[in-house]
Structure formats: structure tokens, C-alpha cells
Amino acid sequence: MHKMIRKITLSLGRQVSSVARGATQVRRLLHGGYVRIHPSVQEALVESRPVVALESTIITHGMAYPLNLSMARKVEEIVRTNGAVPATVGILRGQIHVGLTDEELEFLASSKNAVKVSRRDFPFVLSQGLSGGTTVSGTMIVAHKAGIPVFVSGGIGGVHRDGENTLDVSADLTELGRTPVAVVSAGAKSILDIGRTLEYLETQGVCVAAFGESREFPAFFSRQSGFQAPYHVQDEEEAAKLIDCALGLGLGSGVLIAVPCPQERAAQGQVIEEAIQQALSQARSKGITGKDVTPFLLQKLIELTDGKSLDSNLALIQNNARVGSCIAVALSKLQKARRKRSQPGQKDMSAPQPVVIGGINVDFIAKAQNPEILGGGQTNAGRVRRAFGGVGRNLADCLSRLGQAPLLLSAVGKDEHLESVLHYCHHMDMSGVLRLEGESTATYCAVISSAGELSLGLGDMDIHQQITEQYVSQFKEKLCQAPLVCIDGNVPLSTIQYVCQVAREHQLAVCYEPTDENKASKPFLSDSWKALTYISPNLQELRAINRTLGNPVPAELPSRLEDAVQAAVALACPLLSHLQCVVVTLGAHGVLLCGRSLAGSISLHPGAHRQAAAARLCAAHYPAIPISREEIVNVSGAGDSLMAGILAGVLAKHDTGTCVRMGLLAASLSLRSYEPISPEISTSSVSQEQVKSRSWPEAKWLLCH
């Protein structure tokens, strides 16, 4: 058994903190074949972004299906909202998973034969190809070897009542004594001997701190246990400093941050204690021992307290997830700042940033369950999720994930959405985002059909009018140095005209994203549009632009692909007298590039159209990556992902075919994501190498008449 554990340990690799060693560590984890790391977790680890490990025994043994599944989804959502990446640890068919897909969460939640996996159980469970939920002990092992320093749980195990006679002591305690991971929990479970548990943790050399204003050690359901924690930390910054110091000292032991259950959901200590005594008595009479005791007692408590213990359990795990993810974010910032200080002689050699000017929205995405959406005030079955969107934000998000680090100029309100927006966008440069008292952050509600198509959109976006010419002009130096400026149709007309004026004076490359049919024509109301380099309309927006310019337009837009392409070419060609390229998005049919032929392709690089003024106008149709209707989750950010992928390729100076296909890769990932911009988008998943590794259909060329 010891050989097997050693083999697992070696295959999991070593904990590291730098980006370069992070990549090595992830490769080591994958090399042994015991572990599968979810791509979003893998990317975050390599980039030293905050990750929070989550246990899965609470899913497999702590709650009944489907409550356990909704709880697990909610906890992961809370972690994401607070700026970290969730990494639920579980074992599926003999393989350790660090980060689970929704389907894998459902598999564990509905499994009838899942094993409870602690340190001792790994060899057998893995060798037999079984599935299971990892305990605090089991999750700590995997988190440490994966380089995840913060782990959120409901409550740890401990010394059982009458443990001085039975020697029933949870492996969680010895794991805390030998594995350097910070565990954020609501203390130890109330069914345990809290006093002896704290004594045992002291013997193991575990630093225990209560979180908040009191040193009272919480007892899971209850905020009071009658025992004091050795130490306490006031907030996530203090907790992060404590954890950072513990890791830096290399003591080899863990840290326990004990977070009390929210006051309004905590159970009364006396009520819980009476129920515990009854449950213990029943457990003894039934001869229940070992690892079966805790699940039995927790289930009995739910029955004996008429569900109050379950309410407290749900509240505390969600609160722990919020506190733990904030601690992980604070710890990540602390570690990054220290790394930066350790290289004082290093100059800032960063290139000028792209600049994105546009909206930030909090999106509520409602996807219908049935193919037909019923009107007349009827309630349609479906699923509603919160996400973070806005065309400008989406472009900046995707460009950031693709390594371009743009500066986003936008506006949000100092309201209930502010912290969530900033946490979610922690990987982006938000220093140019205006934060306004008395204003509401823009919100948008999208009703999406079961096939993933947008049926209806409602928006409260008045705050976008605060992205004024006066505000943007404060960043004129940044604009003039930018290799690319992107602006969306949400910003005021005067701001668009100002940006176009600066672009004309300083020969800047500007991309205009029309946003929707009603806003598409803003630059075209004057000669401002002639300073643009690229626009990325769909067919409806392209028709609206031509109508504004007084060009002939079709009364009806064709639905057949060949006819739609011909119509797009006819509408795009009049604009190419001044624009370098018109990128027409065709939804499931891909994208149409309209421009001038240069050396056998349409050059996307700024200035090329002036060199090729006499070249023939032409268009190239690139088909989309095939994706089934069942795979489509959300279409709201696919077009933004497409354009951002193309622009990232342009900034990296790739050829036109590579740029377009990078855009198609990014769009296909976002179509499969509940987020407008897929967290799976990265410099590894959308790259020149990825483009070269796939076979692509040939682009179809057409001439403009």
C-alpha cells in the first residue's frame, strides 16, 4: 500500500508557484495517468491565477440527489463570481479529476455506489476503477500535489465523541498535520468532540484561526462551540497573509480557517446538541461505526431538526465558498506582488496596449427547455444563469485570454454588481473602468431558445452614455500608442466621432463592432466611418449601414447561404473605398471577409489596403466549425469571440487564414459555454499551432462587382 501511495505522490508532482514551474507541474500531474485536470483549472494553475479546491464527499455522501447537485453547482458559481476558478476534486472510474464538468458533477451526484475516499482508499479505488467522493483528507492530498493552496469544505472531521475509548479519529486531522494546504471550513462538525479535536490539531502542529471578529471556534451548524480558537483573522487579507507565511516557512503542515455559519441561518446550539445525543444513541444501538457514522448522524440530524440542520449546512458551505474564494484571490495577489518585488531591476518592457471602448453588462441568460417558447404571460420551463457580458467587455475578455492584455474603457455603477464584475474580470486591465455613485451597472436579459438562438433581449444600459468623449480623452496618450482600438456601438455617438478623429490624425487601426441593428449606423451618420479600419456586422447590421449611407438595399434578406453570401458581398463592397476589411458574421455559416486581394489573400494588417489601392475587391467565405445543436449552450458571445480571435491573430502578425481560423476556434468554444466568453479560451486552445493541427475546408473566393 505504501508503494502505491508513493507512486501516486510521485505522479502528482510538486507544488510550485511560478508560471514556468506551474506548467512543469501540470505536465507531471498528467504524465502518470492517475489524474485529469480540467482545462480551465490547468490554465489557471499555469498562469498563477487563484484556484479553489472543493471536496466531493459532500456531493456523494452529504446530501441526497438532486439537492447535492444544485448545491455543487451553486458553490462553483460562487467561487467563479468571487474571482477564482473552482476545482472540484473527485474520482471517476479510477481516475482522479481536478475540476469537473457539469456532466461529471451529475454523475457523482446521482451515483449509488460512490466510495468515500480518504488517504488510505486511493490505491484500492484507483486500481479497481471505482468512482468516489474525496474527503477533506483526500482532497487536501490532491490539492497540494496540484499546487492549489486553498481548499473549501463544509466542516472537517475530528475526534468522535467517546474517541478516547474507540480511538475513532478522522484522518482529516493527521492530514492537516502533514499537508500544507489551507482548509476553509465551518470548524469541525457538531457531532464531534470539539475540545479534543482542537487538542489533537495542536498536537499535529496545525495553525487554527477563527475568521471574523470573534475567536469563538464554530461548530458547523452553530456559531458557538464553547471553545476558543488559538487565533483569529479579521478578513480575507489577514487570512491570506497567515496562509502565505505558513507556506513560506515550509512547515509541512496545513492551516485551518474556521468560518462561522451566517448568523441568520445558524442553528441554536442547545437544539442541535439534543438532536446529536439522540442520533448518537441510535447509531450505537444500530452498531454503526467507522466512516459510516458521520453520514448516518448528519441524516438523522436533518430528520430530528425538521430540516433546520440542512438549511444551516447549505448556508455555511455557500458562505465558506465565498470566504474561501476571496482568500484565494487575496493570496494570489500577495504572491504576485512578492514575485514582482523579487525582480526589482527588471524594466517594464511591455508593448503598448490595445484599447477597447465599450459596455460592461451583467447578463441574465434564460434558456428555454422546450423547443417552443409560449407567449401570453405563460411561464416557460428553462434555466436562468447569471453571466458577465457587454460587447466591449467580451472583446477585452477574449483578447486578454489570448495574451493581448487590452485596456478596457467603460463604466459601471457603485452598486450590488460592482464587486462581482471586478472579481470576475480580475484577469483583465480594468483600470480604465469608470465607477459611478448613484448609477446602475448595465444589465441585460437574454431569452434563448432550446436550440441556443436569441429570441428576445431586454437591456437597462443607460450607464453606457457615461463613456463620454471627455472621459475617453483622458486616455488620449494610450489611444495614440495603441496598436489597435476597438469600439462598440453602445457608446455615445460623440465618443465614436472623437475616437475616429484621433484615429485619422494619428493613423490608428480602429475596429467598430456594430452591437445591433439599431446602433450599427452611428459612425456612418457623418464622415467619421472613413477613419475606421475594420467593421464586423452581421447581415442585418450591414444592411442598416448601407441604408444610412443611401446605398440601395434589399427589402428582404435571403436565408439560403449562397444568396446570403452574394447579398453580403454586394453590401460590403461600397464600404471598401475607405475600410480595409468588412468582416461579415454569418452565424452557423461562418464568416465572410471582404477586402482587397493582396498576394493571393485579403490582408488584415493595418495599412495594407493603401498599398493595394488598385487591387481587385474580393471576398472569401470561411465555413464555421461544425457544432451540433445539442452542444450549443449560448450564442450571445460567439460573434465577439470570433472577432477577438481574428484581432488577436492580427496583433500577433499571423496570416489571414490563421487569423480567421483562430476566430472560428474561439467562437466554437464560446458556443459551448454558459459564459459569453468561454473560460476555455486561452493561448493554447486558440493559437497558430491549434490552427495548423486541424484540417479546414478551403475558403470560397468571390469577386466584388
Side-chain angles (χ1 to χ4, degrees), residues 266-287:
Q268 293 298 317
Q270 186 58 38
V271 173
I272 287 291
E273 182 57 34
E274 290 174 3
I276 288 171
Q277 291 299 335
Q278 277 187 260
L280 283 168
S281 175
Q282 291 184 34
R284 283 193 291 270
S285 67
K286 291 176 182 290

Side-chain angles (χ1 to χ4, degrees), residues 125-188:
V125 171
L126 267 61
S127 65
Q128 295 294 312
L130 304 178
S131 299
T134 51
T135 63
V136 169
S137 167
T139 308
M140 284 184 74
I141 293 169
V142 177
H144 170 51
K145 301 306 178 184
I148 304 172
V150 178
F151 157 41
V152 167
S153 176
I156 63 165
V159 179
H160 280 258
R161 301 190 186 202
D162 200 31
E164 67 274 22
N165 298 315
T166 64
L167 299 183
D168 192 349
V169 179
S170 170
D172 296 352
L173 302 188
T174 49
E175 205 62 59
L176 275 160
R178 60 183 167 186
T179 303
V181 168
V183 178
V184 180
S185 80

Side-chain angles (χ1 to χ4, degrees), residues 53-69:
L54 301 167
E55 61 154 298
S56 49
T57 297
I58 193 171
I59 302 171
T60 57
H61 292 77
M63 295 179 189
Y65 181 83
L67 179 62
N68 56 353
L69 178 59

Side-chain angles (χ1 to χ4, degrees), residues 173-204:
L173 302 188
T174 49
E175 205 62 59
L176 275 160
R178 60 183 167 186
T179 303
V181 168
V183 178
V184 180
S185 80
K189 296 182 176 73
S190 318
I191 57 178
L192 303 169
D193 186 325
I194 304 292
R196 285 191 170 91
T197 295
L198 286 169
E199 289 287 349
Y200 200 99
L201 286 169
E202 181 186 359
T203 302
Q204 292 291 314

